[in-house]
Each structure stands twice: as C-alpha cells, then as structure tokens.
Amino acid sequence: MITRYSRPEMRAIWTDENKLKIWLQIELLASEALVAEKVVPAKDFARIKAGCDKWFADLPGLVARQRELEKTLNHDVIGFTTAVAEKINDQASRWFHFGLTSSDVGDTCYAVQMTQSADILIADTKLLLKAIAKRAKEIGRASCR
C-alpha cells in the first residue's frame, strides 16, 4: 500500500499485526467450534486460548517471531502456528489449527480485511452523499434567487 495514497485507518487494516490478530481470532473460533462438537477437550481449549491471549497482548512480538520462523520454515502459516504453539507451551497445542488449511485461515482473513475496508468506504460514501446533498441544496437555493 502506498502511504501517500492511503489513510492511516485503511493502512492499519492491512498490517501484519492486524492480519495475525485476525488469524488468531479465526483459529480460536475454529477451536471453539470443535469444543462444541466434542472434538477438542475444553481444558485443552482453555490452554490454547491462554497462549493466544499472550500473543493478543504482544502482536508486534508475534509478527517478529512469525517472520523469524517463516525464514526457516518457508511458510507463513506454519511460522504462525509454530509461534503460537510456543506460547501455548503445552500438549494442547496439538489442537491448534486442527482441521484447518492455510487457505482456510488466509482466505477467511482476506474476507475480514475486505469487510473492514468496505466499512470505511461505506462510511465515507455516506458522508460524501450528505455533503453532495447539502451542496445541491445550496446551489438550488442560489439559482432560485
């Protein structure tokens, strides 16, 4: 994203920190669903969530660790899951990313980021419409004089 052509709130959506935050959320939601289906033990999910909560508190640290791991593992999602497993630091980490593919996480994340971006554009469009309507009324009044 070219900085001079984008606004901070839009750029923030496409940062690695936001991407990995969303990846964590996706992984937790998938694990939670597997707990509901009695595939993942609830006690293991609690340990997974605790490890993820540590990363939610340190997203720049997660980005740095994921990048470091990606260099040797040659895969972004494997670098991510490995970094999270390190924070979980328990056998429960075997359930993290269980049943998911890299595309499940990445594609879902892109959809969330697109929705976040669209929300900004929709809000801007609403403001623009109000400004256009105000200006049209001003012009209409001026031409009636």
Side-chain angles (χ1 to χ4, degrees):
M1 189 166 292
I2 301 171
T3 303
R4 70 176 178 261
Y5 296 127
S6 59
R7 295 177 302 160
E9 58 270 20
M10 188 65 80
R11 282 195 308 272
I13 291 169
W14 298 97
T15 62
D16 286 340
E17 287 84 1
N18 191 50
K19 176 182 76 175
L20 296 188
K21 176 184 170 188
I22 295 167
W23 284 9
L24 282 169
Q25 292 168 332
I26 293 164
E27 295 281 0
L28 285 173
L29 289 169
S31 292
E32 193 172 23
L34 291 172
V35 169
E37 294 295 319
K38 307 221 184 299
V39 174
V40 173
K43 65 180 175 49
D44 286 350
F45 176 70
R47 290 185 180 109
I48 290 168
K49 183 154 180 3
C52 288
D53 287 347
K54 291 175 188 174
W55 277 131
F56 277 117
D58 181 22
L59 288 171
L62 175 56
V63 170
R65 183 63 180 141
Q66 184 267 338
R67 284 181 182 158
E68 179 184 334
L69 290 164
E70 185 179 354
K71 287 178 188 174
T72 56
L73 298 170
N74 295 315
H75 198 283
D76 57 348
V77 177
I78 294 173
F80 164 75
T81 58
T82 302
V84 175
E86 291 172 352
K87 281 286 187 201
I88 295 168
N89 195 26
D90 188 276
Q91 287 294 318
S93 66
R94 72 184 177 275
W95 297 111
F96 187 77
H97 197 70
F98 185 81
L100 296 174
T101 67
S102 299
S103 293
D104 292 332
V105 176
D107 293 350
T108 303
C109 179
Y110 285 133
V112 171
Q113 288 173 300
M114 293 296 290
T115 300
Q116 291 173 340
S117 297
D119 289 344
I120 290 172
L121 297 174
I122 290 166
D124 287 350
T125 302
K126 288 178 181 177
L127 290 173
L128 179 61
L129 286 172
K130 286 180 184 178
I132 290 170
K134 180 181 175 188
R135 186 66 183 131
K137 288 176 186 174
E138 290 170 359
I139 292 169
R141 279 191 290 254
S143 66
C144 291
R145 293 183 188 158

